[in-house]
Amino acid sequence: MRKIFLCFLVLLFCANETLHAQPVIKGDMSKITLVIHGGAGTITRENMTPEKEKAYQEALQQALQAGYAVLKKGGTSMDAVEAAIHIMEESPLFNAGKGAVFTNDGKNELDASVMDGKTLKAGAVAGVTVVKSPITLARTIMEASEHVMLAGKGAEQFARERGLEIVDPSYFYTETRFRQLNKAKEEEKVQLDHSGDKGSLDENIFTEGNKFGTVGAVALDAYGNLAAGTSTGGMTNKRWGRIGDAPVIGAGTYANNQTCAVSATGHGEFFIRSVVAYDISALMEYKGISVKQAADEVVMKKLVQRGGEGGVIALDAKGNVAMPFNSEGMYRGYLKADGKPTVLIYK
Ligand code: ASP
């Protein structure tokens, strides 16, 4: 009898040890969701080549998997947003980080922002030229400064002081984007990231068949917290320190656990004037409508009436996803608790 009791004790001890070897996630894993976008615009099947489509699909899949891995381990929605955006900032396919568009004087000036839906804290950066990851700088501004938005040289100094990775401006250079600038200059227009005719993969992968190449992510973690982030190079041939909607909290990015998390892509000036991301949240809050109804109302009605082209990704605290766009296409995708990624490009 004594032996049986001892065996029972040993078994109990072993079971306890095994339990403790696993990370204990105190949350509801069934709700975890990640949604991403890689820009909206005139993205049509006719403008697409199989190589180009494959390249975008792979990059979007990779970004989804990176963010999802964070959520799956019980990481926060903010960590997931940052991880997904890192992949897209490092890919030359998107107008963010490496592969960003050029200003009129041949520079890459980057903007980004993040918002935490639980605390309603936010961080944003505008017009930086040497910070490898603008999204990480935006997050660091939120977490380690008493400010919300820093710009230009001061923001770069802050990044250096916080030990963020600094690169030579040539890191952001891609030949195709530079050609895109020369073309826009010839045509004397400020151009949104992608537009033009179908072309070969090498020649046109970055520029054709799209218009707005900003990247963004929104996530819901196992603890019921939402987060949003957006990162961009802005518009080709932009001048005078032009800043778009991406780093403007309420325009390009917004998150509130009570309503939703939103990241936008499109013609920034229209998105700023329409306070797009906050308007979606406010419609949910004041009218009690769903995230899909609110996002449709703003993107498919208000923006269309005002002539603002683009789209958003939006996610509520129950894991409902909305991805409306009023352009021809939008690079977008999502992953939910089942771990099956969905990546979409066209209407
Ligand atoms: N919204 C960005 C801007 O206006 C452009 C984009 O979405 O690609 O700067």
Side-chain angles (χ1 to χ4, degrees), residues 37 39-40 95 111 192-194 211-215 230 232-235 238 242-247 264-269 271:
H37 72 77
N95 170 21
D111 307 331
L192 290 139
D193 179 32
H194 320 281
K211 219 171 188 182
F212 315 97
T214 290
V215 307
T230 312
T232 189
M235 287 166 61
K238 65 184 183 180
R242 179 265 185 191
I243 307 292
D245 59 316
T265 172
H267 195 150
E269 279 68 12
F271 280 62

Side-chain angles (χ1 to χ4, degrees), residues 207-220:
T207 56
E208 308 304 338
N210 310 287
K211 219 171 188 182
F212 315 97
T214 290
V215 307
V218 292
L220 173 64

Side-chain angles (χ1 to χ4, degrees), residues 100-119:
V101 298
F102 283 88
T103 63
N104 178 267
D105 49 9
K107 291 187 185 143
N108 305 105
E109 291 177 358
L110 312 168
D111 307 331
S113 67
V114 294
M115 186 155 178
D116 181 328
K118 182 182 176 198
T119 59

Side-chain angles (χ1 to χ4, degrees), residues 323-345:
M323 306 188 290
F325 52 95
N326 61 38
S327 47
E328 304 262 16
M330 180 166 84
Y331 295 109
R332 62 202 188 279
Y334 62 87
L335 242 177
K336 289 175 152 286
D338 63 8
K340 291 189 195 125
T342 300
V343 168
L344 300 160
I345 298 178

Side-chain angles (χ1 to χ4, degrees), residues 236-311:
T236 297
N237 204 18
K238 65 184 183 180
R239 286 206 245 181
W240 309 300
R242 179 265 185 191
I243 307 292
D245 59 316
V248 178
I249 297 300
T253 304
Y254 194 75
N256 181 344
N257 279 1
Q258 305 310 313
T259 52
C260 61
V262 180
S263 170
T265 172
H267 195 150
E269 279 68 12
F270 291 85
F271 280 62
I272 294 174
R273 289 197 296 250
S274 294
V275 203
V276 165
Y278 180 72
D279 197 21
I280 294 170
S281 168
L283 279 170
M284 290 177 71
E285 187 175 348
Y286 299 136
K287 275 189 156 180
I289 58 177
S290 72
V291 66
K292 186 169 183 331
Q293 287 171 317
D296 278 351
E297 173 76 27
V298 175
V299 175
M300 308 309 283
K301 289 193 191 151
K302 289 187 180 185
L303 273 175
V304 170
Q305 279 159 14
R306 294 167 193 172
E309 190 186 352

